[in-house]
Structure formats: C-alpha cells, structure tokens
Amino acid sequence: VNRYISDLLQGCRCVELDCWDGDNGFPIIYHGHTLTSKIVFKDVIEAIMKYSFVTSPYPVVLSIENHCCLDQQKIMAKIMRDVFGKALALPLSGSNVFPGSLMPSLEELKGKILIKGKRPSAKKDTPEDDEEDDDDDEEEAAVEEDVANLNDLSAIRIASKTSKTAPAATKSSSHQWNAMKMKEKGKTGKKKEHKVSTHADLAAITYLGTGHVKDFLPNTSMAIPCDIMASYSEIKTNKYIKDRAISDGWIQHNMRHLSRIYPKGTRIDSSNYSPVAAWACGSQLVALNYQTGDLPYQINFGKFLENGQSGYVLKPEYMRNPNIVKPEAVSMRLVINVLSGSCLPKPGGAQKGEVIDPYVQIFIHDPFVKDKDAIDVRTNTVRDNGFNPVWNQIFSFDLKNPELSYITFYVMDEDIASSDFLAFSSMPVSCIRPGLHCIQLYNELGKMEDDFKNASIFVRVAMDQIFNF
C-alpha cells in the first residue's frame, strides 16, 4: 500500500490496480503469476482516497486490470462507491459522449477519481476487447527484429457503443487533457488468458472505456466517443513516431481522446523506456515503473516539475488546437557553461565514506533521435572535493526540436572500476532561460531530503541563435 501512497504524494495522477480473486471472497491486488506480495483491494482504495489530493487537487485515474470473477467484481464496485463517495466520477452520458464531443476540463474534474477499465461490448455475443492483446504479439516479434512496416493498419475496433455524430464543442469548452504523470508496475511476458466478463455494477462506475484504435484518419477518430481510451506499447509508439503521417494523425486524435502508453512485456527488471517519443505524439498517460529511478524516470520527474507537481502540464498549442498547423522544425543552439557544484552528497546519500571525485554528465533527449544516439557529454573530474568543486567547462548543443527535447544533468563520482551516481536534475529545454542558474539536485527517485537539500550545480545558459534547419 505504501507504494501507492508514495507515488500519489509525488503528484502521480494515474496508478494501475492489478486485481485478482482473494481466497476469502474479497479481491486482492498483486502482480499475477509472480511472487510479489498480495495486498487487500479495500486497503489500497482507502489509501488512494486519503492521499490522492494531498499534492494536487486534479483528477486521479485508476487503471483497473480486472482478473476477478463476477462476484468479486461486484464487491470491488461496492467498495469504490462506499469509499470514494462523491469523489467517484460516474460515466458520461447522453450528448456528452457523442462522437466529436470533448472530455470535461480538469477544472470540472477537480477532486474526482476516474475508473478506467473494460466495459461490456455493444453486442452481447461479442467478447470484450483486451486492449493490450494485439500489442503482446507484436512485442514478441519485436524482441527478435525491429519491424518497420506500418502499412497493415486495420479499421477501428472499440469496446463500447458508438453514438450518432453531434456538433463539435465550441472552443470555449475545449479544455484539453494534456500530459499526465503516471506510473505502472513492471510487466512480464504473459500468456493470454480467458477474458473475464465485466459485472454491470463495475461497468456502471467505469468512467473511461477501453478499446483498439488502429487508424488515426479524421473520420475514424471523430467517430469514437471521447471517453474511449486505447493503449499502445512502447514498441508501437516508437514505430509510429517514425512515420510523419501517422504521428501527425495521432496528435490530432489525442486532441479529443486519451492515449495510454505502457512498457513492453520483456521489461521483467522493471526498467523504464524513454517517455519523450510518446509525449511528442500527444499521448497523455505514459506509464512508467516508479520503483525504478533510472534516466527515463528522471526525465519524467523533470517534466512534471514544470507545473508545480500538479500531475498535469500543458501540451504545445499545435497539440491542443486543430486550427494550429504543426510548425516546421526550428533549431536552437543551446550553450551550457557548467561552472561549479555545492554540497554534493556521497553515493546513495551516505553520511560516511571517502571524499568524492565528482564530474557532471549532460544528456539531451530528442523524440526523433534514438536513445542510443542521444547527446551525452561530461566535464572533467575534480579530485577530492564534494563541497565546492569548480569545472568551468562549456558545452554547445544544436537542437532540432527544442520544444520537445529534455535536458538531464547527472553528478557522478569517478572511481577506479566505475562511476557511482550521486544526484540528478532534469527539465524540458523549453523551460530553460538564459542567464545564471543554481540547479537543485535530487536523489535517484527525485527526493530532496537529508544531504540533498543543499546540493546544487551552478551553470550559465546561453541561446546563441535560432535558425531554420
């Protein structure tokens, strides 16, 4: 339960609940078919209610992975109704879900908890869609080779009833959902199981239905009710962004619908993938493993510092307004002068140990550049000085997509065999301003506690020129 509490207090706005039948007739949560500990569903729901709005007043999405029998699903629904009370957002109805309509604004959903999950199919004899089935097969193939053929796009298949077309909402009501801070537990390779039907009581409180969207053509996208959300694996996301027509269509689709990205099934070590490509396609819910403080996690952490850890940030205007044409790539020359450091912690925040030999490493992530080709530079090492090391080194970067790029600073301790991680800071390039900056450093999970409270690096930033590429 503490895992959910910790993530919500960090501003996370979407958490996954992997629900299974409990032996005593009450549902439990655990990562199925593994040795992970089992926790009581009700305990998690009570913790979510208590801590969801401590850091941010904006809505929390519960992504339900439902493996329970109908009887325990009914219990799940009753628990959520009883515990959440008025905070539980009930599904949209009537004209609010006509194709072409928009989701309510974040302001309207303040203090609300939204359930996301499968709903009964429109046809009684049609099995409910498992939103991740298609991607599971694709992941298995991608382990052996990177399939680049994107021509096999089929028609849309959704797991909910579609309505007659209604007029598009006016601009004044067009409050778009933007990038959301999200976590997800690590996944393992899994065999497809018998699909469990959804109990009517659970469906009645499911705010966001799930389904497949495999075509981002305007007519197809507009036919989908706004409360239907599709999920895509990181593999599919990385393929889509390579095709300009598909990625542009996806951006348009995400102006009215929510998209969720999840880690590929082979990440059995709970490692993370770079979220930068998914954000560049306008996807709002990019699921990461919050228990793993790696570079992708830290990029995600830096992005959501932009808006005071409210869990939501505004996407670029061309991703929100269909009347704004996506601008051509404009390159910016970013110059970083790494001047000095102050009060640097020891590895792992240890209180005792050898005097450190620090250096600064800089990463630049562009959504259209493969991770292995991402910019990675470093300063020289300062020997035996963690209190006030001085580097005074200048680095220049030509960025093709500064609005969609992210910069991360690592402070490392050089050792004979390898270097140890000390601290980091990360931010969108769009948030950087010219001048002198004292950059706060954090531990690997983004915490600023103990020796990290005063840890920082001092840099000078210049943006020498902007020119068309």
Side-chain angles (χ1 to χ4, degrees), residues 3 14 16 61 71 101 113 117 161 177 193 208 210 212 241-242 257 281 312 325 332 353 357 371 457:
R3 176 79 266 168
C14 182
E16 178 185 290
V61 177
D71 287 344
S101 59
I113 295 174
K161 198 177 293 184
W177 285 54
E193 302 174 350
L208 296 168
T210 62
H212 296 285
I241 199 170
K242 296 174 184 176
H257 303 87
C281 293
Y312 294 86
V325 178
M332 178 182 74
D357 303 321
D371 286 347
I457 55 174

Side-chain angles (χ1 to χ4, degrees), residues 6 47 69 100 111 132 151 156 159 193 212 227 238 296 324 328 334 391 395 398-399 405 436:
S6 174
C69 67
E132 297 178 10
N151 296 322
I156 179 176
E193 302 174 350
H212 296 285
D227 62 345
N238 289 331
I324 301 296
E328 292 300 320
L334 178 66
W391 295 284
F395 302 93
D398 284 348
L399 308 181
S405 297
L436 292 166

Side-chain angles (χ1 to χ4, degrees), residues 393-462:
Q393 288 183 251
I394 298 175
F395 302 93
S396 180
F397 311 101
D398 284 348
L399 308 181
K400 293 184 178 180
N401 302 281
E403 189 175 28
L404 302 176
S405 297
Y406 298 81
I407 184 169
T408 304
F409 298 89
Y410 268 18
V411 181
M412 306 291 291
D413 176 24
E414 187 172 81
D415 209 339
I416 297 174
S418 61
S419 296
D420 295 321
F421 174 88
L422 296 178
F424 86 96
S425 192
S426 185
M427 65 206 73
V429 170
S430 60
C431 290
I432 298 176
R433 297 294 179 266
L436 292 166
H437 298 279
C438 187
I439 298 177
Q440 174 68 51
L441 297 175
Y442 303 88
N443 70 13
E444 63 178 9
L445 290 175
K447 301 291 179 64
M448 188 180 63
E449 53 193 12
D450 299 328
D451 285 351
F452 290 87
K453 291 179 180 178
N454 299 312
S456 64
I457 55 174
F458 193 44
V459 303
R460 185 192 301 273
V461 177

